[in-house]
Amino acid sequence: MNVTETKRKVEINDLYKLSTAYDAQLSPDGKSAVYVVRKINEETAQYVSNLYVVDLETKEERQWTFGEHLHQTPTFSPDGAMLAFVSNRTKTNQIYLLPVNGGEAKQLTFFHKGASNPIWSPDGNMLLCSAGVKSGETIHTKEEQNEKKELQPLVVDRLIYKADGRGFIKDTYSQIALIHIDSGESVQLTQGDHSYAASCWSPDGTAVVYSANLSDDPDAVFTSDLYVYNIDSKETVNLTTGQGSFGRASWSPDGSYLAFLGSQEENQTVTTTKIWLYDFSAQKMHCITQEWDVDVEDVGVGDLHSWRRNPGLIWTADSEGFYFLMSDQGNVGVYHGTVEGELTPVLFENLHVYDLSVHSNGQQAVVGISTPTLPGELYTLNLTSGDREQITHLHDTFLDDVVLAGAESFTIKASDGWDLQCWLMKPAGYEEGEKYPLILEIHGGPHMMYGNTFVHEFQTLTASGYGVLYINPRGSKGYGQVFADAVRGDYGGKDYQDLMDAVDYVIREYDFVDEMRLGVTGGSYGGFMTNWIVGQTDRFKAAVTQRSISNWISFYGVSDIGYFFTEREIKSDLYDNIEALWKHSPLRLADKVNTPLLILHGELDYRCPIEQGEQLFNALKRKGKETRFIRFPEATHDLSRSGDPKLRLDRLTYIRDWFHQYV
């Protein structure tokens, strides 16, 4: 009997069996690594994350934190004796210290709006952190303990006053605080009605680097500068002087350079992220990847690794180079760069490296790796030989139990000759000579990238008997600046044709695809495109649009990014060319829709507000079209990746059942 015949198919509830190991940090002596494991408690249907440590020699693993809370962002002190981490065990996120050799965790911060992003000083005596501070208050302001919370009007003076996942900002800004470890004394380093993000310390511990948009009109100017703040003199120097948007800075150990990520926003929303160096002796900055047409960041799309952080640029002790993540052609891998601009691949295969920690010796690293058939595990990586060894085994039982669909990657020619990368997954239980329905999946962004990573949603569809086609149409990142920029001003144009070209190709080249049983779905931009597709063609038997855009005119005024995203992406606004906004709006095509359309939307989605789904539903119903509207309570734009676990399962069930009914 074939081994796969003894395995079961993936189920929607298997989401409970999928964990994420991430935020790995090598100890200063390189002998161990701490990391976070986030999972869902099936009994409570709530997320839980705890810290684990693994001895890299013996592979012995120990759990360091316990309970039903979220423990995250672990950071070793320079001597390796203490671990700082963030926990919500007191309801708000606060920073705690844990002795590595044993003992209870001690709460270090008590800010009433919480603390995050701990960064150790070089001598281990202080920590930088971020803290939410309301305008006119400080980190030391105590929360008012009113027995009854009175309703208060929200006074709005700015265009940007809400954010998806955060709600109404209410004049609260991210400030930087300095914590003295021994005394617990805290000092607020930044003030005012601006938000600041701490990046790093100078090697001698006398200064810190942070990024901020300190323009007079941050609603209109979107640059972000890097500043060096001297701890003693309190003097600040702007290193980048309004030249673009920069962050994730890292100071070389010898103090000569500051390496950072960013761009001069030549292509606004779409400009590829590059590596920059500031030379302190010459007092000049320059881009060392100017001619390298790739994104120096992880732009991969999935539904399992949304907790990951950008590791930035990780220097080696000799200050001659650094390691970083890079996205290209559907893959995310590890590269090494030097101050002279030499760029060398270290780990770049058909996979998704979603996590990276490098020891200062430049010889060893810990990476998180996922593929279409691997949910994600941590590995040690020899940076010289490329050898790697698995150190977590979160999914061994799951992988032994289920049969997963692989993803075949191929490249086709679009109608106008552009290269398009696609992936095709066969349905579970596939038999040669049989015909199967096909679902076209469309990613959001649109400036993101499908790739060689695990997607639970895709596996549930293949387990339900569908083939799955996914593609990176023009507008996607990972294929260079021109490709990513091509969608701007052309939403629903050649990007739509790219998707149809891919569908035509697989129907022509793969005998198992039943061209009479096609479905389509996608979220955000993918939801926009799903709406657009069913207004253009009747070739799909069913469609599911998720957290979508249907009307660019109203989106302009209701989304948390509406006005500037619309102006940059559609290249029009409400005044100069409102006709263009309507031209690109799927709502305009509602009377042409003959495909049964399921509309999924979160009630608290501020990115693509739920009124976008409401308008489309009302228009379709008024025209007598086959449609249904599912509203997810308290769900933000990120429902499919980090939303309420039960609602995530409900969402997948609705998608599957809709396709079962009509495809």
Side-chain angles (χ1 to χ4, degrees), residues 417-606:
W418 284 38
D419 289 335
L420 303 173
Q421 189 175 13
C422 312
W423 288 262
L424 182 64
M425 303 173 72
K426 293 179 179 178
Y430 166 81
E431 294 183 8
E432 194 75 32
E434 294 293 321
K435 287 283 190 179
Y436 296 92
L438 180 75
I439 307 300
L440 172 65
E441 287 269 5
I442 309 170
H443 68 64
H447 310 301
M448 302 297 287
M449 178 186 79
Y450 274 144
N452 292 303
T453 195
F454 185 89
V455 183
H456 176 238
E457 178 177 328
F458 296 175
Q459 293 292 344
T460 62
L461 288 172
T462 61
S464 298
Y466 301 97
V468 174
L469 170 66
Y470 52 105
I471 167 183
N472 286 324
R474 67 195 70 194
S476 303
K477 286 199 168 187
Y479 303 89
Q481 185 66 73
V482 173
F483 192 90
D485 197 51
V487 73
R488 294 203 300 149
D490 190 41
Y491 273 52
K494 290 184 177 179
D495 53 345
Y496 162 73
Q497 190 58 51
D498 288 345
L499 293 161
M500 296 305 99
D501 287 344
V503 173
D504 291 339
Y505 178 88
V506 298
I507 290 174
R508 184 172 64 249
E509 298 296 328
Y510 294 85
D511 292 340
F512 77 87
V513 175
D514 186 347
E515 65 177 309
M516 302 305 296
R517 299 175 66 197
L518 302 177
V520 59
T521 186
S524 197
Y525 164 80
F528 156 82
M529 183 53 70
T530 299
N531 297 339
W532 186 263
I533 285 172
V534 296
Q536 300 288 329
T537 178
D538 295 340
R539 71 187 304 181
F540 295 92
K541 296 303 180 184
V544 181
T545 182
Q546 308 173 53
R547 60 190 189 281
S548 70
I549 294 173
S550 68
N551 183 354
W552 287 102
I553 295 175
S554 62
F555 177 85
Y556 186 96
V558 296
S559 168
D560 62 346
I561 61 171
Y563 70 97
F564 66 83
F565 186 84
T566 305
E567 291 170 5
R568 292 178 170 195
E569 294 292 312
I570 306 300
K571 295 187 175 180
S572 302
D573 62 23
L574 291 177
Y575 310 103
D576 295 334
N577 190 5
I578 195 172
E579 293 80 8
L581 301 188
W582 186 238
K583 174 187 173 183
H584 290 281
S585 295
L587 187 67
R588 176 177 61 85
L589 306 170
D591 63 335
K592 300 181 184 297
V593 175
N594 295 311
T595 305
L597 181 64
L598 177 65
I599 303 170
L600 307 181
H601 225 114
E603 295 274 6
L604 296 184
D605 189 337
Y606 287 175

Side-chain angles (χ1 to χ4, degrees), residues 210-224:
Y210 61 77
S211 58
N213 177 3
L214 302 184
S215 62
D216 293 335
D217 188 1
D219 290 342
V221 179
F222 299 103
T223 57
S224 178

Side-chain angles (χ1 to χ4, degrees), residues 119 266 283 311 392:
I119 305 174
E266 304 93 330
Q283 296 186 346
T392 63

Side-chain angles (χ1 to χ4, degrees), residues 280-385:
F280 285 98
S281 61
Q283 296 186 346
K284 290 182 179 180
M285 60 180 279
H286 70 281
C287 180
I288 68 171
T289 58
Q290 190 64 49
E291 305 304 320
W292 202 30
D293 197 13
V294 302
D295 280 280
V296 185
E297 57 180 334
D298 177 0
V299 297
V301 176
D303 56 10
L304 203 58
H305 306 115
S306 62
W307 324 107
R308 65 193 189 271
R309 291 190 297 166
N310 186 340
L313 303 163
I314 307 173
W315 285 94
T316 53
D318 58 14
S319 296
E320 294 181 359
F322 37 79
Y323 292 87
F324 57 91
L325 295 182
M326 184 273 281
S327 300
D328 188 43
Q329 306 294 312
N331 299 313
V332 182
V334 181
Y335 262 70
H336 178 261
T338 69
V339 293
E340 289 81 19
E342 296 179 7
L343 302 165
T344 307
V346 177
L347 174 58
F348 199 79
E349 303 172 9
N350 292 328
L351 46 75
H352 177 194
V353 179
Y354 65 86
D355 197 52
L356 173 66
S357 175
V358 178
H359 194 268
S360 61
N361 62 19
Q363 301 298 312
Q364 65 182 129
V366 173
V367 292
I369 294 177
S370 178
T371 70
T373 55
L374 176 67
E377 300 287 358
L378 297 180
Y379 295 75
T380 57
L381 173 66
N382 186 305
L383 295 169
T384 302
S385 67

